[in-house]
Amino acid sequence: MVSDILRFVKNLLLSLVASLILITQGGVAEAAPPKVGKNRMVIQINEDDSRKWNTVLGNIHNIRDELAREGASITVVAIGPGLGMLTADSLVANRVQDAIADGVRFVACGRSMQAQQVDKDDLIGGVQITSAGYVELMRLQQRGWAYIRP
Amino acid sequence: MVSDILRFVKNLLLSLVASLILITQGGVAEAAPPKVGKNRMVIQINEDDSRKWNTVLGNIHNIRDELAREGASITVVAIGPGLGMLTADSLVANRVQDAIADGVRFVACGRSMQAQQVDKDDLIGGVQITSAGYVELMRLQQRGWAYIRP
Amino acid sequence: MVSDILRFVKNLLLSLVASLILITQGGVAEAAPPKVGKNRMVIQINEDDSRKWNTVLGNIHNIRDELAREGASITVVAIGPGLGMLTADSLVANRVQDAIADGVRFVACGRSMQAQQVDKDDLIGGVQITSAGYVELMRLQQRGWAYIRP
């Protein structure tokens, strides 16, 4: 009889623990910002201006240099007239390629590509495509990335 | 006697569950960023430039299209020279009205209205007024809205 | 025998509570956004344009006025051509000094200072220096500061 009671208590407790863990994890999952590394920055480029592109590429170099020990994730999102930075015939194509090789992520706005009739093949190799640049910028910020508009 | 024990165990467990739920919810409530829908974006307009206004209205259309299934909350805050976008005689008044009808929120900076002697009646119907545009931008960001400066 | 069972149940429950509190607190601690004051805003200045500087100084005055009761922390980060706002010979030097006296924090980008051969002595008294302006902007955002690009 005692063992019956103990089995009853044990089962009750097991289901209790299970349901509480569910509650806890559910709540925490909702509350927790997605796990991100410490240093994450998303940079928005809207200008068709190679001087600005060069400045930003210099900035990125400095930021990575500054954070060399800690590491830093940098994403550049090119939208509208800024798309020209990421096409194969861009005046900064070589520097973009170098930055990609260094781990910087460059993303072209798919909507802007459509509007300007730019194909994937027209982009610098390694450039990624997102369906809508501003949506990418929103999602990254909401995952804890800092937003920079140079 | 067995039923006494079971009743004792049951009551103990019930109060345990109740207090743990309190702990859990209390903790989570403190930790949780304010509950916001997933997709929230606040767009700052500072320019007196109808081409830019049209671009932004097109962007908003695309963003809403892109997020049609999930839904998206979009607020546009017009500050300083950007206020002209939201006056009744704005070149984009019709498009702003359509966007308001679609659920986009447009907010005029009250300080800029004062400085430019713009009254509530001078604004497109449905445009809201905030006392200071930059404060609104701060508050929304701190509530989890992504910031976009087109 | 009943007391044995009760002791068994009691110990089981105590360890259960202890482990669940650990789970809960562990999760919550991880989920919590960094504790920051309510009103914090970091403003980025990139332009060599005294009209813009004056506008921003006016904005800061309005923001502080608007939030006089609650209080507000405001940091201005000057980068690249924006550095001129914070040099001793700046056209807005007096207004910057007044704002510093009022508790606004002005920060010069150290990388921009190097590039433009600007020394600490060339800056308005009370202006701080950060090694890289964009890194400062990232760190503040990730600590819950709202970002404003006027």
Side-chain angles (χ1 to χ4, degrees), chain A residues 128-148:
Chain A
Q128 295 175 27
I129 299 172
T130 190
S131 48
Y134 288 119
V135 173
E136 179 80 6
L137 286 162
M138 180 195 71
R139 293 207 200 282
L140 288 180
Q141 284 184 69
Q142 294 189 330
R143 284 178 201 148
W145 290 60
Y147 171 86
I148 299 288

Side-chain angles (χ1 to χ4, degrees), chain B residues 1 5 8-9 12-13 16 20 24 27-28 31 44 46 111 131-132 134-135 137-139 141-142 147 149, chain C residues 2 6 13 16-17 20 28 33 38-41 59 62-63 65-67 70 144 146-150:
Chain B
M1 200 194 71
I5 296 171
F8 166 82
V9 170
L12 203 57
L13 286 177
L16 175 67
L20 276 172
T24 311
V28 167
Q44 173 184 329
N46 281 63
R111 297 271 178 171
S131 48
Y134 288 119
V135 173
L137 286 162
M138 180 195 71
R139 293 208 200 280
Q141 284 184 68
Q142 294 188 330
Y147 171 86
R149 177 77 165 88
Chain C
V2 171
L6 291 185
L13 287 177
L16 176 65
V17 170
L20 276 173
V28 166
K38 233 176 90 187
N39 300 317
R40 302 209 175 184
M41 188 187 295
N59 294 334
N62 287 342
I63 292 161
D65 185 42
E66 192 65 33
L67 297 171
E70 306 173 30
Y147 171 86
I148 299 288
R149 177 76 165 87

Side-chain angles (χ1 to χ4, degrees), chain A residues 24-64:
Chain A
T24 312
Q25 290 186 334
V28 167
E30 211 170 78
K35 306 217 167 178
V36 293
K38 231 176 90 188
N39 300 317
R40 301 208 175 188
M41 188 187 297
V42 58
I43 299 173
Q44 173 184 328
I45 305 290
N46 282 64
E47 293 84 3
D48 182 14
D49 175 354
S50 64
R51 264 187 57 192
K52 179 139 203 176
W53 301 340
N54 270 309
T55 302
V56 170
L57 288 160
N59 293 335
I60 291 173
H61 183 271
N62 286 344
I63 292 161
R64 287 171 52 80

Side-chain angles (χ1 to χ4, degrees), chain B:
Chain B
M1 200 194 71
V2 171
S3 68
D4 280 349
I5 296 171
L6 290 184
R7 197 173 315 116
F8 166 82
V9 170
K10 192 181 148 202
N11 289 338
L12 203 57
L13 286 177
L14 282 180
S15 65
L16 175 67
V17 170
S19 61
L20 276 172
I21 285 179
L22 272 178
I23 291 171
T24 311
Q25 290 185 335
V28 167
E30 209 172 79
K35 302 222 166 178
V36 293
K38 233 176 88 188
N39 301 316
R40 300 210 173 185
M41 188 187 296
V42 58
I43 300 172
Q44 173 184 329
I45 305 289
N46 281 63
E47 293 84 4
D48 182 14
D49 175 354
S50 64
R51 264 187 58 191
K52 180 139 200 175
W53 302 341
N54 270 310
T55 301
V56 169
L57 288 161
N59 293 335
I60 291 173
H61 183 271
N62 286 344
I63 292 161
R64 287 171 52 80
D65 186 42
E66 192 65 33
L67 297 171
R69 283 194 202 169
E70 307 174 29
S73 300
I74 299 178
T75 293
V76 177
V77 179
I79 299 177
L83 191 61
M85 184 190 191
L86 304 185
T87 52
D89 59 357
S90 159
L91 288 176
V92 296
N94 287 339
R95 291 189 77 181
V96 170
Q97 274 175 323
D98 289 348
I100 290 174
D102 283 348
V104 179
R105 187 174 161 247
F106 288 83
V107 182
C109 170
R111 297 271 178 171
S112 307
M113 290 175 64
Q114 265 186 302
Q116 298 172 40
Q117 299 186 295
V118 170
D119 288 330
K120 187 171 174 34
D121 294 341
D122 300 326
L123 298 177
I124 297 165
V127 168
Q128 296 175 27
I129 300 172
T130 190
S131 48
Y134 288 119
V135 173
E136 178 80 7
L137 286 162
M138 180 195 71
R139 293 208 200 280
L140 289 180
Q141 284 184 68
Q142 294 188 330
R143 284 176 200 147
W145 291 61
Y147 171 86
I148 299 287
R149 177 77 165 88

Side-chain angles (χ1 to χ4, degrees), chain C residues 1-39:
Chain C
M1 199 195 69
V2 171
S3 68
D4 282 350
I5 296 172
L6 291 185
R7 198 175 313 118
F8 166 81
V9 170
K10 192 181 148 203
N11 290 337
L12 203 56
L13 287 177
L14 283 179
S15 66
L16 176 65
V17 170
S19 62
L20 276 173
I21 284 177
L22 272 178
I23 292 171
T24 312
Q25 290 185 335
V28 166
E30 213 170 76
K35 304 221 167 177
V36 293
K38 233 176 90 187
N39 300 317

Side-chain angles (χ1 to χ4, degrees), chain C residues 4 13 20 22 44 46-47 56 61 63 76 83 92 103 114-115 119 127 136 138:
Chain C
D4 282 350
L13 287 177
L20 276 173
L22 272 178
Q44 174 184 328
N46 282 65
E47 293 84 4
V56 169
H61 183 272
I63 292 161
V76 177
L83 191 60
V92 295
Q114 264 186 303
D119 288 331
V127 168
E136 178 80 5
M138 180 195 71

